[in-house]
Amino acid sequence: MPDPRPLEGVRVVELARVLAGPWCGQLLADLGAEVIKVERPRQGDDTRHWGPPFVTGADGDNLGAAYYHSCNRGKRGVAIDIATAAGQAEIRDLIAGADVVIENYKVGGLAKYGLDPARLRADFPRLIVCSITGFGQTGPYAGRAGYDFIIQAMGGAMALTGEPDGPPQKAGIAYADIFTGMYSAVAILAALRRRDAMGEAQGGGAHIDMALLDCQVGVLANQAANYLTSGVSPRRMGNGHANVVPYQAFATADGDLVIAVGNDSQFRRLCVLLGAPDCADDPRFATNAARLEHRRELIPLLAARIATWEAQPLALALEAQGIPAGPINDMAAVFADPQVVARGMRFRPEGAAVDGLASPIVIDGERMVADKGAPPLAG
């Protein structure tokens, strides 16, 4: 690991629980920041109890749910009762030496403890406070609690997910929370950069307002652009793609395979491989725009030929032709995949009882990942 790591010397106080705030804190810890996680005495973060499965220590102790360990790597834990005057004073002492506070209380929820962003910024002018809520600090929903599932529903993601004739579906991972945690880390890094540029005399602190709904809407990407351009709300397409054809899962003789054709040249090579070169010259299929228009005619033609292949030979043949394809892996297959193994995405932090996920960030050949596991519940 490079010495120092990029955020060495940055201190973060995390007054956050569940996923979005802790995910942000874990990312900063991976990059070298000292992250101090403040938890409730005895109870701790809610996710310590979100199991099974639970992690068992070498002495048989329950170390909390696997969920907790997924988003709290590399932090130092302290247990403080924020509802007491002594606890509030202890938190202020921590913040006095910090660069960043991450908090995910409801809007105004910290004011009764004297720890709200306005008060903290007045007392500590160089402090960066990142507030993470469901709906943001302003607007008609500001006072509401927000959870990932609700945000995926309200933010348009569920309307785009699932089979065309089936019900809306949420993603299998809490992506609204995770994207919010990542965007929050980016915002914090930008605020630190601006503070450094301003210099000590100007203070340079900031209050960052991060909302799950903003982040979910913000990653609608091409689907939002499709709607804003056409005025037509995109519909669920199962494993199909709204803008590219063929770009979906196909059934082979022994399992499903994703084939992702990104341009007309790849489509031509696919047709030749499948023994249907005339398809590439058919005006209905010659361009991506035409294939989009005639999707219902094209897909059955391809599917019938793909179904005669077994998945592995077809995947190898596609790779040889430069046509992107891949299997649909379960977790066991993911962590057995030679590329995932070679990249070291499964690792065991020092002192941890179980393996965990590495950070995907690699700088100068070194993976940016905290070398210690999630902290035990202090106190």
Side-chain angles (χ1 to χ4, degrees):
M1 188 67 67
D3 189 18
R5 284 187 285 168
L7 296 185
E8 201 82 24
V10 174
R11 174 176 284 187
V12 179
V13 175
E14 182 184 297
L15 302 175
R17 59 189 186 274
V18 187
L19 187 52
W23 195 267
C24 174
Q26 178 173 266
L27 177 51
L28 298 177
D30 283 338
L31 292 170
E34 177 192 7
V35 180
I36 303 168
K37 183 177 181 68
V38 179
E39 298 185 75
R40 296 167 291 180
R42 297 173 297 280
Q43 176 74 11
D45 191 308
D46 294 350
T47 59
R48 286 187 181 274
H49 312 282
W50 285 14
F54 293 96
V55 176
T56 303
D59 56 2
D61 286 353
N62 182 348
L63 301 180
Y67 197 120
Y68 173 81
H69 290 262
S70 75
C71 51
N72 287 289
R73 175 179 61 242
K75 303 173 186 178
R76 173 162 69 91
V78 296
I80 299 175
D81 186 352
I82 196 173
T84 68
Q88 293 155 23
E90 192 174 352
I91 291 173
R92 288 181 66 83
D93 286 344
L94 289 175
I95 292 173
D99 299 282
V100 178
V101 169
I102 303 169
E103 64 92 2
N104 66 350
Y105 283 71
K106 290 180 67 175
V107 173
L110 285 172
K112 60 184 175 183
Y113 307 126
L115 297 170
D116 54 288
R119 175 71 178 272
L120 291 178
R121 288 198 60 206
D123 293 343
F124 308 107
R126 287 180 57 78
L127 184 67
I128 294 162
V129 181
C130 180
S131 296
I132 299 175
T133 58
F135 299 97
Q137 302 292 306
T138 60
Y141 302 162
R144 294 186 187 180
Y147 291 90
D148 176 272
F149 192 2
I150 297 168
I151 300 302
Q152 287 195 40
M154 296 179 66
M158 287 182 64
L160 300 172
T161 307
E163 293 298 324
D165 55 352
Q169 293 286 326
K170 69 177 182 65
I173 301 296
Y175 280 119
D177 273 332
I178 290 173
F179 273 123
T180 303
M182 294 175 65
Y183 272 121
S184 296
V186 172
I188 287 168
L189 296 178
L192 286 169
R193 175 69 179 88
R194 187 183 70 172
R195 189 186 72 175
D196 290 345
M198 291 175 67
E200 187 80 28
Q202 298 186 61
H207 181 207
I208 298 168
D209 173 9
M210 297 300 304
L212 269 68
L213 184 60
D214 290 358
C215 292
Q216 177 62 82
V217 173
V219 298
L220 291 175
N222 61 297
Q223 294 284 35
N226 291 343
Y227 166 71
L228 295 172
T229 300
S230 69
V232 178
S233 290
R235 309 302 298 174
R236 293 184 296 284
M237 302 186 67
N239 287 318
H241 195 289
N243 296 98
V244 187
V245 175
Y247 198 104
Q248 65 180 73
F250 289 92
T252 72
D254 61 349
D256 289 346
L257 187 70
V258 170
I259 300 176
V261 171
N263 56 55
D264 296 338
S265 175
Q266 290 176 3
F267 178 69
R268 176 172 293 277
R269 295 198 297 275
L270 174 66
C271 292
V272 172
L273 175 64
L274 296 177
D278 292 346
C279 275
D281 296 319
D282 190 317
R284 296 174 299 168
F285 313 136
T287 66
N288 183 67
R291 292 192 293 275
L292 276 170
E293 182 180 354
H294 297 283
R295 182 198 304 262
R296 291 184 178 181
E297 298 144 83
L298 174 62
I299 296 304
L301 293 175
L302 298 178
R305 293 178 177 270
I306 290 169
T308 66
W309 287 71
E310 292 183 347
Q312 182 66 8
L314 179 56
L316 293 173
L318 291 165
E319 181 180 354
Q321 292 297 319
I323 302 167
I328 300 175
N329 289 334
D330 62 12
M331 288 298 106
V334 168
F335 289 106
D337 187 287
Q339 183 67 16
V340 176
V341 172
R343 295 287 289 178
M345 287 304 297
R346 176 177 182 166
F347 89 118
R348 181 165 296 195
E350 179 184 337
V354 293
D355 290 348
L357 289 177
S359 163
I361 299 174
V362 177
I363 299 176
D364 289 338
E366 298 288 343
R367 193 167 291 280
M368 299 288 106
V369 59
D371 57 7
K372 297 186 184 301
L377 182 58

